[in-house]
Amino acid sequence: MNSRVITTARRKIEFGHRTLVMGIINVTPDSFYDGGAYKSTDDAICQAMRMVDDGADMIDIGGESTRPGSLPVPIDFELDRVIPVIEGLACKVDVPISVDTTKAEVARQAILSGAEIVNDISAMNFDPLMAKTVARAKAAVVLMHMRGTPRDMQTGDLRYHDIIAEITSFFQERIIAAKTEGIADDQIILDIGLGFGKTREDNLKLLKNLAAFKSLSRPILTGVSRKSFTMSFHREPAAERFEGTAAA
């Protein structure tokens, strides 16, 4: 199996020998699954530590919901949600911490607090300062494919002529843009954006054809947990989508 190494300011992370698991902590009131689940910073930190104990290889912390139909939150709200959790967690675990944000200032402060990966659903398109912020900090970055914004991504045009080719082309363009700003090849992870501007059939096709993206020579992140495309015909709520998540 081909291996890839991602370099952050703190460590090298090797991909390829096995699937690595990212634990997700949404410090939000409205995320589609765990929104409002953590009543305090300590609750969120304790849950992240449980995830690490259970085998999570990295932890992703987000302070703004990106579920379909969601709206952006003010930067102060986002900072107040994520920074205390990152600060409290960074001294307690020895796994990489990722911050899920599209805002450069949130990324900057999160990195200073202990994060070493920036997980940007906009692939650094929403904030013109994001690429320079990531490059300056020598952080790794996740570039995700999405059409539109979380508010309208599932209500706009979901038609693709060739979804594999279109996403590949998108990634090629964003990799060039990242490298132009000083982000190295070994700092880039790609996320195909399951559930972000795609039909259920598209999501399943992307999963079936993940190998097509090996041509980009970067690690691939897939966010499948409890998303609507993992539902059976019974259309169970998010909390009950374990079988579909495991299969994905």
Side-chain angles (χ1 to χ4, degrees):
M1 185 180 293
N2 293 331
S3 63
R4 305 287 178 198
V5 173
I6 287 295
T7 302
T8 75
R10 298 175 179 230
R11 73 188 82 212
K12 293 183 182 296
I13 309 167
E14 189 166 1
F15 293 79
H17 296 294
R18 63 178 177 84
T19 298
L20 302 186
V21 176
M22 174 182 274
I24 306 298
I25 300 290
N26 291 311
V27 197
T28 59
D30 56 345
S31 290
F32 83 99
Y33 173 57
D34 59 351
Y38 312 116
K39 303 302 183 185
S40 69
T41 295
D42 287 344
D43 287 345
I45 292 171
C46 287
Q47 175 63 6
M49 292 173 66
R50 281 192 290 269
M51 288 178 172
V52 174
D53 288 342
D54 288 342
D57 298 287
M58 56 191 74
I59 297 292
D60 184 68
I61 298 171
E64 179 177 84
S65 175
T66 54
R67 62 176 173 75
S70 61
L71 298 174
V73 300
I75 188 170
D76 289 346
F77 282 32
E78 192 172 345
L79 287 169
D80 287 345
R81 291 171 179 176
V82 302
I83 298 304
V85 178
I86 294 171
E87 287 178 339
L89 186 61
C91 61
K92 292 180 171 65
V93 299
D94 188 28
V95 300
I97 296 173
S98 166
V99 60
D100 183 344
T101 187
T102 61
K103 301 180 180 72
E105 181 59 18
V106 175
R108 186 188 72 82
Q109 292 196 37
I111 292 165
L112 290 175
S113 299
E116 50 194 289
I117 302 169
V118 176
N119 185 4
D120 187 340
I121 64 165
S122 78
M124 305 192 298
N125 274 313
F126 286 0
D127 190 327
L129 297 178
M130 181 63 89
K132 291 185 185 300
T133 299
V134 171
R136 191 177 300 119
K138 300 188 184 304
V141 64
V142 179
L143 305 177
M144 195 191 82
H145 175 270
M146 172 178 60
R147 273 188 178 175
T149 68
R151 180 179 186 176
D152 60 17
M153 63 188 178
Q154 291 303 111
T155 58
D157 184 3
L158 301 182
R159 294 171 298 176
Y160 294 86
H161 175 68
D162 182 337
I163 193 169
I164 304 296
E166 288 184 43
I167 293 178
T168 298
S169 177
F170 171 85
F171 281 147
Q172 289 170 337
E173 183 273 325
R174 295 316 297 157
I175 289 170
I176 290 171
K179 292 169 69 174
T180 298
E181 294 291 351
I183 299 171
D185 264 334
D186 66 355
Q187 293 170 304
I188 299 172
I189 301 168
L190 306 176
D191 182 346
I192 56 177
L194 297 172
F196 286 80
K198 300 167 184 75
T199 65
R200 186 174 194 268
E201 291 71 23
D202 289 333
N203 293 320
L204 296 174
K205 182 177 182 179
L206 288 169
L207 277 177
K208 184 177 180 180
N209 292 279
L210 274 181
F213 299 101
K214 289 174 66 175
S215 63
L216 297 165
S217 299
R218 305 309 319 137
I220 303 295
L221 172 68
T222 57
V224 302
S225 183
R226 305 179 193 273
K227 288 185 177 175
S228 60
F229 77 88
T230 67
M231 287 190 297
S232 71
F233 291 110
H234 299 293
R235 301 187 65 81
E236 57 272 287
E240 298 175 15
R241 297 174 193 164
F242 177 78
E243 289 82 1
T245 293

